[in-house]
Amino acid sequence: MNQQQFMAYVEGTMITLQLTFISVILGFILAFFVAVMRMSKNKILKSISWVYVWVIRGTPMFLQILIAYFAVPIIYRNMTGQVLSNWSAFGAGVGALSLNTAAYTSEVIRSGIESIDKGQWEAAQALGMTKAQAMLKVIAPQTLKRLIPPFSNELTTIMKDTSLISTIGITELVKTSKGFAASGAIRFYFFCGAVYLVMTTLTTVFFDKVEKIAGKYE
Amino acid sequence: MKKLLSVLLVALLIVSFAACGNKDDQTAGNKYGLLEEGVLKVAMEAEYPPMEFKDENGNLTGFDVDMMKAIGEKLGVEIQYVEMEWAGIFMGLTAGNYDAVCSGVSITQARIDEKQMQFSDAYMNNGQYIVVSEGTTNINQPADLAGLKVGVQFQTTADIAAQKYLSDGIQFELISYDSVQQAFLALEGGQVDVVVADATVAIAYVNENNDKFDISNAKLTNEPMAIAVEYGNDELTEALNNALAELAADGTLADLSVKYVDTDLTQDIDMNLVSVE
């Protein structure tokens, strides 16, 4: 591997990491709201979040990416006659990934909260806590710890799925490797795999540690 | 942990070597140097109208498809089409997955020099054109791309040329897609300002959408199309050349060109290669 190729890999890795972390952070924030909507007593909010999770989890992410990048600007143009300016591949990619991971993560958050025994709600309220207090002081801390393993899992999944973004013109790790391997140098595939393994292993190890630390307070 | 890592690395190495395995002896003896007796396996990227694409019923069609069928009849072999993604399509020749790539392949000096593949005689005139939105003018040379968003298909000669323009100091944003269809979709959606593509594809696309798109006057390169086979497979190259000569003589190629590109691009093929790479 020459210096130019090495730099291309550094750049590709940075793009993969940016796509992953921006999407996962945005996705987590969105997931929180979706989970709250899903558990709310308001039927409309509940239905919206249900449809959202149903559509996103029931269709391939690859298709969602194609729609976000190719279909949205054309629909916009047909409806308004205007070009949707600055519809970037990075933005559409992050959008699709965030919306996707939010659907999965919202279910993780919901099941995390619902897995806490009902008795704890009742006990907290018996002690005179308001609903919000019970949530913040009793339920949320316990939920967070339970969220760590599935969240770590979702993070590594998204990290690998960023490779799908290459189809809309983003040169991340896999596309960098595809380019170098195109003339037969298949070693780049394996090098690419090794870079992913390092990243996913570090993520897993990190969250294992976090889980252990969080576990001390249970 | 260290032990586990080294085991993994060794496993990876073994897989790599196995994947590099030599397969030269397998083909010896088959007529025309084919991988399988009586079957010519040809790879194409079927998202490249009018050269190869799917019709509304999902059937593989296009200039290359019909031409290979005619070649198969001339040689008395069965044609088996293998659909591949473009980036990496030539790797399948080295890997021995198929005998030939007939997918609007440009002859370029770099591809000749690399000695990964060799070419049949050229069957169609081709070069790169710039497709622009209707009414856009003044884009006639690479320098005019400055400041624009330029769409190309990943790993095509258009992509390679655009990379070269970038390294020559022309400032524009290059966006490469997996298929040329996606590049055109992006042009339609406004994510790119222009698309650089092969003449045949550009002409066919603009003909179908002439209310929306125009083609610029300048032909940026000259890179006629040919069938690619594995480097060193002279037997197959010769067989293909003989069949192509017959199809040119009896007018089949001209008819197919008129059928798919509206004009005959198979005459007087300009072999003076001008590539940007």
Side-chain angles (χ1 to χ4, degrees):
Chain A
M1 187 185 297
N2 62 36
Q3 200 188 344
Q4 202 184 347
Q5 288 166 333
F6 181 77
M7 288 318 291
Y9 264 102
V10 171
E11 208 170 301
T13 308
M14 290 311 294
I15 288 174
T16 293
L17 288 174
Q18 281 169 16
L19 282 169
T20 306
F21 285 103
I22 297 175
S23 305
V24 164
I25 290 167
L26 289 178
F28 193 83
I29 296 168
L30 183 60
F32 175 76
F33 289 105
V34 175
V36 169
M37 280 165 74
R38 190 78 195 270
M39 289 182 297
S40 93
K41 294 215 167 73
N42 184 321
K43 274 202 174 133
I44 299 168
L45 290 181
K46 212 171 176 170
S47 316
I48 293 173
S49 62
W50 184 87
V51 169
Y52 170 71
V53 171
W54 174 63
V55 169
I56 298 286
R57 291 208 308 183
T59 55
M61 194 197 288
F62 190 55
L63 182 70
Q64 292 160 12
I65 291 165
L66 293 176
I67 289 174
Y69 184 66
F70 291 112
V72 170
I74 293 180
I75 293 169
Y76 180 87
R77 196 171 188 174
N78 289 343
M79 279 168 53
T80 66
Q82 305 266 313
V83 172
L84 188 56
S85 53
N86 293 320
W87 193 252
S88 75
F90 194 89
V94 164
L97 281 175
S98 310
L99 289 174
N100 187 284
T101 186
Y104 287 90
T105 311
S106 74
E107 288 297 273
V108 168
I109 294 175
R110 185 175 70 100
S111 61
I113 291 173
E114 286 178 351
S115 73
I116 307 290
D117 192 78
K118 244 192 170 170
Q120 302 218 16
W121 279 104
E122 289 161 7
Q125 277 166 343
L127 288 171
M129 288 188 184
T130 63
K131 258 198 159 177
Q133 279 176 325
M135 185 56 153
L136 277 176
K137 299 206 161 145
V138 181
I139 309 296
Q142 299 181 72
T143 309
L144 274 180
K145 197 226 148 192
R146 292 186 190 186
L147 287 187
I148 294 167
F151 181 71
S152 161
N153 198 17
E154 181 63 17
L155 182 61
T156 50
T157 303
I158 289 294
M159 191 175 270
K160 291 175 288 173
D161 285 349
T162 53
S163 57
L164 297 173
I165 304 285
S166 67
T167 196
I168 57 174
I170 295 282
T171 308
E172 41 62 69
L173 259 176
V174 169
K175 193 165 178 179
T176 305
S177 313
K178 257 164 79 182
F180 290 143
S183 51
I186 53 165
R187 63 177 183 280
F188 288 108
Y189 287 162
F190 296 98
F191 182 72
C192 177
V195 177
Y196 272 104
L197 271 177
V198 169
M199 295 194 302
T200 50
T201 307
L202 286 177
T203 309
T204 314
V205 168
F206 174 77
F207 279 101
D208 281 352
K209 286 252 153 63
V210 173
E211 198 193 352
K212 280 208 183 95
I213 292 167
K216 278 184 189 162
Y217 302 101
E218 195 159 67
Chain B
M1 194 67 191
K2 262 188 187 157
K3 210 170 179 185
L4 184 68
L5 265 182
S6 38
V7 171
L8 274 175
L9 279 176
V10 170
L12 268 181
L13 276 178
I14 292 170
V15 173
S16 327
F17 281 122
C20 299
N22 203 315
K23 50 103 216 163
D24 279 349
D25 341 293
Q26 285 175 18
T27 61
N30 287 344
K31 200 178 177 192
Y32 306 130
L34 296 175
L35 293 164
E36 193 181 321
E37 189 67 58
V39 182
L40 173 49
K41 290 182 191 149
V42 54
M44 39 183 69
E45 186 231 2
E47 289 184 65
Y48 210 61
M51 303 310 287
E52 41 273 317
F53 58 103
K54 301 281 181 63
D55 64 16
E56 55 272 34
N57 300 320
N59 298 318
L60 195 59
T61 181
F63 181 96
D64 286 338
V65 178
D66 286 5
M67 182 181 77
M68 286 311 301
K69 203 184 292 168
I71 288 176
E73 280 161 17
K74 293 278 179 208
L75 298 179
V77 296
E78 184 201 333
I79 301 293
Q80 204 175 86
Y81 301 99
V82 184
E83 284 180 38
M84 283 289 298
E85 194 187 26
W86 177 257
I89 200 167
F90 297 124
M91 220 187 307
L93 286 177
T94 321
N97 296 341
Y98 30 78
D99 299 292
V101 177
C102 182
S103 193
V105 177
S106 294
I107 306 178
T108 67
Q109 198 54 49
R111 285 176 180 166
I112 294 171
D113 294 343
E114 266 173 16
K115 303 200 167 168
Q116 284 261 328
M117 60 187 122
Q118 64 188 35
F119 294 103
S120 70
D121 292 335
Y123 60 81
M124 191 177 255
N125 264 313
N126 181 46
Q128 283 160 29
Y129 282 95
I130 302 173
V131 179
V132 298
S133 293
E134 238 275 304
T136 310
T137 48
N138 304 332
I139 298 176
N140 295 315
Q141 54 180 351
D144 297 336
L145 296 175
L148 298 178
K149 287 181 186 154
V150 179
V152 295
Q153 183 182 0
F154 186 49
Q155 288 287 312
T156 53
T157 48
D159 185 15
I160 295 163
Q163 306 264 13
K164 177 69 169 49
Y165 301 145
L166 278 177
S167 66
D168 285 350
I170 305 172
Q171 300 277 335
F172 58 88
E173 189 183 337
L174 177 65
I175 308 173
S176 60
Y177 300 94
D178 281 346
S179 76
V180 77
Q181 296 296 84
Q182 291 183 337
F184 285 132
L185 272 180
L187 182 65
E188 203 168 319
Q191 296 100 311
V192 297
D193 301 309
V194 300
V195 167
V196 183
D198 277 343
T200 47
V201 180
I203 292 168
Y205 187 75
V206 171
N207 280 348
E208 283 221 341
N209 302 279
N210 56 11
D211 54 328
K212 290 188 205 149
F213 304 108
D214 266 339
I215 216 161
S216 70
N217 298 320
K219 185 176 166 190
L220 303 179
T221 58
N222 184 53
E223 44 187 63
M225 287 177 177
I227 305 167
V229 305
E230 193 187 0
Y231 188 77
N233 195 345
D234 296 332
E235 214 179 335
L236 181 57
T237 312
E238 199 189 321
L240 291 173
N241 286 345
N242 291 339
L244 281 171
E246 284 181 44
L247 293 173
D250 67 15
T252 308
L253 292 184
D255 290 348
L256 287 178
S257 182
V258 171
K259 178 176 172 193
Y260 287 107
V261 204
D262 283 339
T263 143
D264 183 6
L265 295 173
T266 64
Q267 305 301 319
D268 306 321
I269 295 175
D270 181 1
M271 285 308 294
N272 185 19
L273 297 184
V274 181
S275 24
V276 180
E277 47 206 5

